[in-house]
Amino acid sequence: MSTPTRRPLHYAFAAYAAVAALAFQTVPDPKYPLMQTIATGGYLVAAALLTVLALGGARRSLIGFHLGFLPVQFLFLFGGSEAPLPGMLFGALTVAVMRPRFPRLRRTPRRVWLTLHVGVSVGWLGLATAMSTLAIAGATADGHAVRHGAYVLMHVFDLAIVIPSVALAIITGLVVSLGTKWGLVKHWWVLLKFAISLVIPIIATVQSGWIEELEHRTLDPAGDPGGLGLVLVCCMLGYTALLWTAVVLSVVKPGGRTRWGRAGAPAGAPADRRAGGPARPPAPAGRRLS
Protein backbone atom coordinates (compact mmCIF):
# COMPACT_ATOMS: atom_id res chain seq x y z
CA MET A 1 0.00 0.00 0.00
CA SER A 2 1.80 3.04 -1.25
CA THR A 3 -0.77 5.80 -0.70
CA PRO A 4 -0.31 7.86 2.49
CA THR A 5 -3.97 7.42 3.45
CA ARG A 6 -3.91 3.60 3.13
CA ARG A 7 -7.26 3.72 1.29
CA PRO A 8 -7.73 -0.09 0.98
CA LEU A 9 -7.65 -0.42 4.77
CA HIS A 10 -10.34 2.21 5.20
CA TYR A 11 -12.54 0.69 2.51
CA ALA A 12 -12.16 -2.67 4.22
CA PHE A 13 -13.11 -1.15 7.58
CA ALA A 14 -16.15 0.55 5.98
CA ALA A 15 -17.25 -2.83 4.61
CA TYR A 16 -16.72 -4.40 8.03
CA ALA A 17 -18.82 -1.64 9.65
CA ALA A 18 -21.70 -2.39 7.26
CA VAL A 19 -21.48 -6.10 8.09
CA ALA A 20 -21.33 -5.28 11.83
CA ALA A 21 -24.53 -3.23 11.51
CA LEU A 22 -26.28 -6.26 9.99
CA ALA A 23 -24.85 -8.47 12.74
CA PHE A 24 -26.48 -6.32 15.41
CA GLN A 25 -29.85 -6.63 13.70
CA THR A 26 -29.66 -10.42 13.87
CA VAL A 27 -29.24 -10.47 17.68
CA PRO A 28 -32.43 -11.97 19.19
CA ASP A 29 -33.83 -10.36 22.33
CA PRO A 30 -30.88 -8.09 23.24
CA LYS A 31 -30.58 -7.06 26.88
CA TYR A 32 -30.23 -3.42 25.86
CA PRO A 33 -32.43 -2.80 22.79
CA LEU A 34 -31.58 0.91 22.72
CA MET A 35 -27.85 0.17 22.53
CA GLN A 36 -28.54 -2.33 19.73
CA THR A 37 -30.27 0.41 17.75
CA ILE A 38 -27.49 2.91 18.49
CA ALA A 39 -24.80 0.41 17.46
CA THR A 40 -26.58 -0.42 14.20
CA GLY A 41 -26.98 3.24 13.28
CA GLY A 42 -23.47 4.07 14.46
CA TYR A 43 -21.84 1.45 12.24
CA LEU A 44 -23.88 2.52 9.21
CA VAL A 45 -22.88 6.15 9.72
CA ALA A 46 -19.26 5.08 10.25
CA ALA A 47 -19.26 3.09 7.00
CA ALA A 48 -20.59 6.04 5.00
CA LEU A 49 -18.36 8.64 6.67
CA LEU A 50 -15.24 6.50 6.34
CA THR A 51 -15.87 5.94 2.64
CA VAL A 52 -16.23 9.68 2.02
CA LEU A 53 -13.07 10.50 4.01
CA ALA A 54 -11.07 7.80 2.21
CA LEU A 55 -12.23 9.01 -1.21
CA GLY A 56 -11.20 12.54 -0.29
CA GLY A 57 -7.80 11.44 1.03
CA ALA A 58 -8.37 13.24 4.34
CA ARG A 59 -5.53 11.57 6.23
CA ARG A 60 -5.83 13.53 9.48
CA SER A 61 -9.59 13.10 9.58
CA LEU A 62 -9.22 9.36 8.96
CA ILE A 63 -6.77 9.01 11.84
CA GLY A 64 -9.02 11.07 14.10
CA PHE A 65 -12.02 8.98 13.11
CA HIS A 66 -10.38 5.66 14.00
CA LEU A 67 -9.04 6.96 17.30
CA GLY A 68 -12.41 8.40 18.30
CA PHE A 69 -14.30 5.31 17.16
CA LEU A 70 -12.30 2.96 19.41
CA PRO A 71 -14.07 3.84 22.70
CA VAL A 72 -17.39 4.20 20.86
CA GLN A 73 -17.14 0.59 19.66
CA PHE A 74 -16.47 -0.50 23.22
CA LEU A 75 -19.87 0.92 24.19
CA PHE A 76 -21.45 -0.86 21.21
CA LEU A 77 -20.51 -4.19 22.83
CA PHE A 78 -23.54 -3.81 25.06
CA GLY A 79 -25.80 -4.04 22.02
CA GLY A 80 -25.55 -7.83 22.20
CA SER A 81 -23.03 -8.63 19.46
CA GLU A 82 -19.29 -9.38 19.61
CA ALA A 83 -18.71 -7.55 16.31
CA PRO A 84 -17.05 -4.50 17.96
CA LEU A 85 -14.16 -6.61 19.32
CA PRO A 86 -12.47 -7.26 15.94
CA GLY A 87 -13.55 -3.76 14.91
CA MET A 88 -11.56 -2.23 17.77
CA LEU A 89 -8.51 -4.30 16.85
CA PHE A 90 -8.91 -3.43 13.16
CA GLY A 91 -9.13 0.30 13.94
CA ALA A 92 -6.10 0.23 16.25
CA LEU A 93 -3.98 -1.59 13.66
CA THR A 94 -5.08 0.86 10.95
CA VAL A 95 -3.93 3.81 13.04
CA ALA A 96 -0.61 2.09 13.79
CA VAL A 97 0.01 1.40 10.09
CA MET A 98 -0.66 5.06 9.23
CA ARG A 99 2.02 6.16 11.73
CA PRO A 100 0.24 9.36 12.82
CA ARG A 101 2.09 12.43 14.03
CA PHE A 102 0.33 14.85 16.31
CA PRO A 103 1.29 18.30 17.57
CA ARG A 104 2.64 18.36 21.11
CA LEU A 105 0.29 19.48 23.84
CA ARG A 106 1.20 22.74 25.51
CA ARG A 107 2.16 22.69 29.15
CA THR A 108 -1.24 23.48 30.71
CA PRO A 109 -3.37 21.20 28.48
CA ARG A 110 -0.82 18.42 28.94
CA ARG A 111 -1.08 18.69 32.72
CA VAL A 112 -4.87 18.74 32.56
CA TRP A 113 -5.09 15.65 30.34
CA LEU A 114 -2.43 13.83 32.34
CA THR A 115 -4.26 14.58 35.59
CA LEU A 116 -7.50 13.28 34.11
CA HIS A 117 -5.81 10.13 32.84
CA VAL A 118 -4.07 9.36 36.13
CA GLY A 119 -7.22 10.07 38.15
CA VAL A 120 -9.49 7.93 35.98
CA SER A 121 -6.94 5.11 35.81
CA VAL A 122 -6.43 5.05 39.59
CA GLY A 123 -10.21 5.00 40.05
CA TRP A 124 -10.47 2.15 37.55
CA LEU A 125 -7.87 0.15 39.48
CA GLY A 126 -9.76 0.79 42.71
CA LEU A 127 -13.00 -0.39 41.10
CA ALA A 128 -11.30 -3.56 39.86
CA THR A 129 -10.00 -4.27 43.36
CA ALA A 130 -13.44 -3.64 44.88
CA MET A 131 -15.15 -5.90 42.33
CA SER A 132 -12.58 -8.63 42.96
CA THR A 133 -13.44 -8.41 46.66
CA LEU A 134 -17.16 -8.62 45.88
CA ALA A 135 -16.60 -11.61 43.58
CA ILE A 136 -14.77 -13.43 46.38
CA ALA A 137 -17.54 -12.51 48.84
CA GLY A 138 -20.23 -13.79 46.47
CA ALA A 139 -18.42 -17.09 45.88
CA THR A 140 -17.60 -17.80 49.53
CA ALA A 141 -20.42 -16.21 51.59
CA ASP A 142 -22.73 -18.49 53.56
CA GLY A 143 -25.59 -16.01 53.91
CA HIS A 144 -27.99 -15.25 51.04
CA ALA A 145 -27.98 -11.50 51.68
CA VAL A 146 -24.22 -11.16 51.25
CA ARG A 147 -24.03 -13.66 48.40
CA HIS A 148 -26.77 -12.08 46.28
CA GLY A 149 -25.93 -8.52 47.36
CA ALA A 150 -22.34 -8.90 46.17
CA TYR A 151 -23.45 -9.68 42.61
CA VAL A 152 -26.08 -6.94 42.65
CA LEU A 153 -23.42 -4.39 43.61
CA MET A 154 -21.03 -5.75 40.98
CA HIS A 155 -23.71 -5.31 38.33
CA VAL A 156 -24.36 -1.71 39.42
CA PHE A 157 -20.63 -0.89 39.49
CA ASP A 158 -20.16 -2.49 36.09
CA LEU A 159 -22.86 -0.49 34.32
CA ALA A 160 -22.67 2.82 36.17
CA ILE A 161 -18.94 3.28 36.86
CA VAL A 162 -16.67 0.71 35.21
CA ILE A 163 -17.90 1.21 31.63
CA PRO A 164 -17.50 5.02 31.69
CA SER A 165 -14.12 4.62 33.42
CA VAL A 166 -12.85 2.28 30.68
CA ALA A 167 -13.95 4.66 27.93
CA LEU A 168 -12.46 7.72 29.66
CA ALA A 169 -9.18 5.93 30.43
CA ILE A 170 -8.77 4.95 26.77
CA ILE A 171 -9.62 8.44 25.49
CA THR A 172 -7.38 10.32 27.92
CA GLY A 173 -4.57 7.78 27.41
CA LEU A 174 -4.69 8.30 23.64
CA VAL A 175 -4.58 12.09 24.02
CA VAL A 176 -1.65 11.98 26.46
CA SER A 177 0.38 9.51 24.39
CA LEU A 178 -0.23 11.17 21.04
CA GLY A 179 0.19 14.70 22.37
CA THR A 180 3.55 14.09 24.08
CA LYS A 181 6.99 12.79 23.13
CA TRP A 182 6.02 9.20 23.94
CA GLY A 183 3.67 8.62 21.02
CA LEU A 184 1.41 5.60 20.64
CA VAL A 185 3.70 3.06 18.96
CA LYS A 186 7.18 4.56 19.49
CA HIS A 187 7.93 2.95 22.87
CA TRP A 188 7.28 -0.61 23.95
CA TRP A 189 5.78 0.31 27.32
CA VAL A 190 3.20 2.63 25.71
CA LEU A 191 2.34 0.04 23.06
CA LEU A 192 1.91 -2.67 25.72
CA LYS A 193 -0.35 -0.39 27.77
CA PHE A 194 -2.43 0.26 24.67
CA ALA A 195 -2.69 -3.49 24.03
CA ILE A 196 -3.87 -3.98 27.63
CA SER A 197 -6.51 -1.29 27.15
CA LEU A 198 -7.84 -3.27 24.16
CA VAL A 199 -7.75 -6.64 25.95
CA ILE A 200 -9.58 -5.43 29.05
CA PRO A 201 -12.84 -4.55 27.22
CA ILE A 202 -12.94 -8.14 25.95
CA ILE A 203 -12.64 -9.41 29.53
CA ALA A 204 -15.18 -6.83 30.70
CA THR A 205 -17.73 -7.98 28.13
CA VAL A 206 -17.42 -11.63 29.17
CA GLN A 207 -17.48 -10.96 32.90
CA SER A 208 -20.53 -8.67 32.55
CA GLY A 209 -22.56 -11.61 31.30
CA TRP A 210 -21.29 -13.80 34.13
CA ILE A 211 -22.24 -11.18 36.73
CA GLU A 212 -25.80 -10.98 35.40
CA GLU A 213 -26.08 -14.77 35.35
CA LEU A 214 -24.86 -15.02 38.96
CA GLU A 215 -27.21 -12.24 40.04
CA HIS A 216 -30.18 -14.21 38.69
CA ARG A 217 -28.82 -17.53 39.95
CA THR A 218 -28.62 -16.26 43.55
CA LEU A 219 -32.08 -14.67 43.64
CA ASP A 220 -33.31 -17.83 45.34
CA PRO A 221 -31.93 -18.10 48.89
CA ALA A 222 -31.05 -21.71 48.08
CA GLY A 223 -29.23 -20.68 44.89
CA ASP A 224 -25.50 -21.32 44.70
CA PRO A 225 -22.91 -19.58 42.49
CA GLY A 226 -21.25 -22.92 41.78
CA GLY A 227 -18.22 -23.10 39.53
CA LEU A 228 -19.17 -19.89 37.71
CA GLY A 229 -18.59 -17.95 40.91
CA LEU A 230 -15.00 -19.20 41.09
CA VAL A 231 -14.48 -18.48 37.38
CA LEU A 232 -15.62 -14.90 37.98
CA VAL A 233 -13.15 -14.58 40.87
CA CYS A 234 -10.29 -15.69 38.60
CA CYS A 235 -11.50 -13.33 35.87
CA MET A 236 -11.60 -10.33 38.21
CA LEU A 237 -8.18 -11.14 39.67
CA GLY A 238 -6.76 -11.34 36.14
CA TYR A 239 -8.47 -8.05 35.30
CA THR A 240 -6.86 -6.42 38.33
CA ALA A 241 -3.46 -7.95 37.53
CA LEU A 242 -3.57 -6.43 34.04
CA LEU A 243 -4.27 -3.00 35.48
CA TRP A 244 -1.38 -3.38 37.93
CA THR A 245 0.80 -4.38 34.98
CA ALA A 246 -0.17 -1.12 33.29
CA VAL A 247 0.82 0.77 36.45
CA VAL A 248 4.22 -0.94 36.52
CA LEU A 249 4.76 -0.16 32.84
CA SER A 250 3.98 3.51 33.46
CA VAL A 251 6.51 3.72 36.28
CA VAL A 252 9.35 1.54 34.95
CA LYS A 253 8.94 2.32 31.21
CA PRO A 254 10.81 -0.80 30.03
CA GLY A 255 11.76 -1.94 26.55
CA GLY A 256 13.09 1.20 24.87
CA ARG A 257 11.88 2.20 21.41
CA THR A 258 9.95 0.06 18.96
CA ARG A 259 10.88 -0.28 15.28
CA TRP A 260 8.60 2.67 14.48
CA GLY A 261 10.22 4.75 17.21
CA ARG A 262 13.74 3.97 16.01
CA ALA A 263 12.76 4.83 12.44
CA GLY A 264 11.64 8.27 13.58
CA ALA A 265 14.74 9.02 15.69
CA PRO A 266 17.28 11.54 14.33
CA ALA A 267 19.97 9.82 12.27
CA GLY A 268 22.81 11.41 14.22
CA ALA A 269 21.42 10.70 17.67
CA PRO A 270 23.49 8.42 19.95
CA ALA A 271 22.35 4.79 20.16
CA ASP A 272 21.17 5.05 23.76
CA ARG A 273 19.34 8.26 22.92
CA ARG A 274 17.47 6.54 20.08
CA ALA A 275 16.61 3.71 22.45
CA GLY A 276 15.01 6.13 24.86
CA GLY A 277 17.81 6.08 27.45
CA PRO A 278 19.84 9.03 28.72
CA ALA A 279 22.53 10.36 26.44
CA ARG A 280 26.13 10.09 27.67
CA PRO A 281 27.55 13.53 28.52
CA PRO A 282 30.47 14.64 26.35
CA ALA A 283 33.95 14.13 27.76
CA PRO A 284 35.78 17.26 28.96
CA ALA A 285 38.13 18.81 26.43
CA GLY A 286 41.65 17.40 26.51
CA ARG A 287 40.60 14.25 28.40
CA ARG A 288 40.76 10.85 26.68
CA LEU A 289 38.05 8.26 27.22
CA SER A 290 39.36 4.98 28.56
Short mmCIF file of all heavy atoms in Angstrom, two decimals, residues 102-106 110 172-184:
data_model
loop_
_atom_site.label_atom_id
_atom_site.label_comp_id
_atom_site.label_asym_id
_atom_site.label_seq_id
_atom_site.Cartn_x
_atom_site.Cartn_y
_atom_site.Cartn_z
N PHE A 102 1.23 13.86 15.74
CA PHE A 102 0.33 14.85 16.31
C PHE A 102 1.14 15.98 16.94
O PHE A 102 2.26 15.76 17.43
CB PHE A 102 -0.56 14.22 17.39
CG PHE A 102 -1.55 13.24 16.84
CD1 PHE A 102 -1.19 11.92 16.63
CD2 PHE A 102 -2.83 13.63 16.53
CE1 PHE A 102 -2.09 11.01 16.11
CE2 PHE A 102 -3.74 12.74 16.01
CZ PHE A 102 -3.37 11.43 15.80
N PRO A 103 0.59 17.20 16.92
CA PRO A 103 1.29 18.30 17.57
C PRO A 103 1.37 18.08 19.08
O PRO A 103 0.46 17.50 19.68
CB PRO A 103 0.41 19.52 17.23
CG PRO A 103 -0.94 18.95 16.93
CD PRO A 103 -0.68 17.62 16.31
N ARG A 104 2.46 18.52 19.67
CA ARG A 104 2.64 18.36 21.11
C ARG A 104 1.66 19.24 21.87
O ARG A 104 1.38 20.38 21.48
CB ARG A 104 4.07 18.76 21.50
CG ARG A 104 5.15 17.86 20.89
CD ARG A 104 5.26 16.55 21.63
NE ARG A 104 6.27 15.69 21.05
CZ ARG A 104 7.56 15.73 21.35
NH1 ARG A 104 7.99 16.62 22.24
NH2 ARG A 104 8.41 14.90 20.79
N LEU A 105 1.16 18.70 22.96
CA LEU A 105 0.29 19.48 23.84
C LEU A 105 1.11 20.54 24.55
O LEU A 105 2.25 20.30 24.95
CB LEU A 105 -0.36 18.57 24.89
CG LEU A 105 -1.42 17.58 24.41
CD1 LEU A 105 -1.77 16.62 25.55
CD2 LEU A 105 -2.66 18.29 23.92
N ARG A 106 0.54 21.71 24.71
CA ARG A 106 1.20 22.74 25.51
C ARG A 106 1.17 22.35 26.98
O ARG A 106 0.47 21.42 27.38
CB ARG A 106 0.52 24.09 25.29
CG ARG A 106 0.66 24.61 23.86
CD ARG A 106 0.04 25.98 23.72
NE ARG A 106 0.18 26.48 22.36
CZ ARG A 106 1.24 27.14 21.91
NH1 ARG A 106 2.26 27.37 22.73
NH2 ARG A 106 1.28 27.55 20.66
N ARG A 110 -1.44 19.71 28.66
CA ARG A 110 -0.82 18.42 28.94
C ARG A 110 -1.03 18.03 30.39
O ARG A 110 -1.34 16.88 30.70
CB ARG A 110 0.68 18.48 28.64
CG ARG A 110 1.42 17.18 28.96
CD ARG A 110 2.87 17.26 28.53
NE ARG A 110 3.58 18.35 29.17
CZ ARG A 110 4.10 18.30 30.40
NH1 ARG A 110 3.97 17.20 31.12
NH2 ARG A 110 4.73 19.33 30.91
N THR A 172 -8.42 9.47 27.35
CA THR A 172 -7.38 10.32 27.92
C THR A 172 -5.99 9.75 27.67
O THR A 172 -5.03 10.49 27.45
CB THR A 172 -7.60 10.50 29.44
OG1 THR A 172 -7.68 9.21 30.08
CG2 THR A 172 -8.88 11.27 29.71
N GLY A 173 -5.87 8.40 27.69
CA GLY A 173 -4.57 7.78 27.41
C GLY A 173 -4.11 8.05 25.99
O GLY A 173 -2.93 8.32 25.74
N LEU A 174 -5.03 8.00 25.04
CA LEU A 174 -4.69 8.30 23.64
C LEU A 174 -4.24 9.75 23.49
O LEU A 174 -3.25 10.04 22.81
CB LEU A 174 -5.89 8.03 22.74
CG LEU A 174 -6.23 6.56 22.47
CD1 LEU A 174 -7.55 6.45 21.72
CD2 LEU A 174 -5.12 5.89 21.68
N VAL A 175 -4.95 10.68 24.13
CA VAL A 175 -4.58 12.09 24.02
C VAL A 175 -3.20 12.34 24.62
O VAL A 175 -2.35 13.02 24.02
CB VAL A 175 -5.64 12.98 24.73
CG1 VAL A 175 -5.17 14.43 24.78
CG2 VAL A 175 -6.97 12.90 23.99
N VAL A 176 -2.94 11.76 25.79
CA VAL A 176 -1.65 11.98 26.46
C VAL A 176 -0.51 11.37 25.66
O VAL A 176 0.55 11.97 25.49
CB VAL A 176 -1.67 11.39 27.89
CG1 VAL A 176 -0.28 11.39 28.50
CG2 VAL A 176 -2.63 12.19 28.77
N SER A 177 -0.71 10.16 25.13
CA SER A 177 0.38 9.51 24.39
C SER A 177 0.65 10.20 23.06
O SER A 177 1.81 10.44 22.69
CB SER A 177 0.05 8.03 24.16
OG SER A 177 -1.11 7.90 23.36
N LEU A 178 -0.41 10.56 22.36
CA LEU A 178 -0.23 11.17 21.04
C LEU A 178 0.17 12.64 21.12
O LEU A 178 0.74 13.18 20.17
CB LEU A 178 -1.52 11.03 20.22
CG LEU A 178 -1.90 9.60 19.84
CD1 LEU A 178 -3.29 9.56 19.23
CD2 LEU A 178 -0.88 9.00 18.88
N GLY A 179 -0.12 13.28 22.23
CA GLY A 179 0.19 14.70 22.37
C GLY A 179 1.49 14.98 23.10
O GLY A 179 1.80 16.13 23.41
N THR A 180 2.26 13.92 23.40
CA THR A 180 3.55 14.09 24.08
C THR A 180 4.64 13.36 23.29
O THR A 180 4.38 12.75 22.25
CB THR A 180 3.49 13.53 25.52
OG1 THR A 180 3.22 12.12 25.47
CG2 THR A 180 2.39 14.22 26.33
N LYS A 181 5.85 13.40 23.82
CA LYS A 181 6.99 12.79 23.13
C LYS A 181 6.89 11.28 23.03
O LYS A 181 7.56 10.66 22.22
CB LYS A 181 8.29 13.16 23.82
CG LYS A 181 8.41 12.58 25.24
CD LYS A 181 9.73 12.93 25.89
CE LYS A 181 9.86 12.31 27.27
NZ LYS A 181 11.15 12.62 27.91
N TRP A 182 6.04 10.66 23.88
CA TRP A 182 6.02 9.20 23.94
C TRP A 182 5.37 8.57 22.72
O TRP A 182 5.77 7.50 22.28
CB TRP A 182 5.30 8.74 25.22
CG TRP A 182 5.98 9.20 26.46
CD1 TRP A 182 5.52 10.13 27.35
CD2 TRP A 182 7.26 8.78 26.95
NE1 TRP A 182 6.42 10.31 28.37
CE2 TRP A 182 7.51 9.50 28.14
CE3 TRP A 182 8.22 7.89 26.49
CZ2 TRP A 182 8.67 9.34 28.88
CZ3 TRP A 182 9.38 7.73 27.22
CH2 TRP A 182 9.59 8.44 28.40
N GLY A 183 4.35 9.21 22.16
CA GLY A 183 3.67 8.62 21.02
C GLY A 183 2.86 7.39 21.40
O GLY A 183 2.81 6.99 22.57
N LEU A 184 2.24 6.77 20.39
CA LEU A 184 1.41 5.60 20.64
C LEU A 184 2.14 4.30 20.35
O LEU A 184 1.93 3.29 21.01
CB LEU A 184 0.13 5.67 19.78
CG LEU A 184 -0.91 4.58 20.01
CD1 LEU A 184 -1.44 4.63 21.44
CD2 LEU A 184 -2.06 4.73 19.02
#
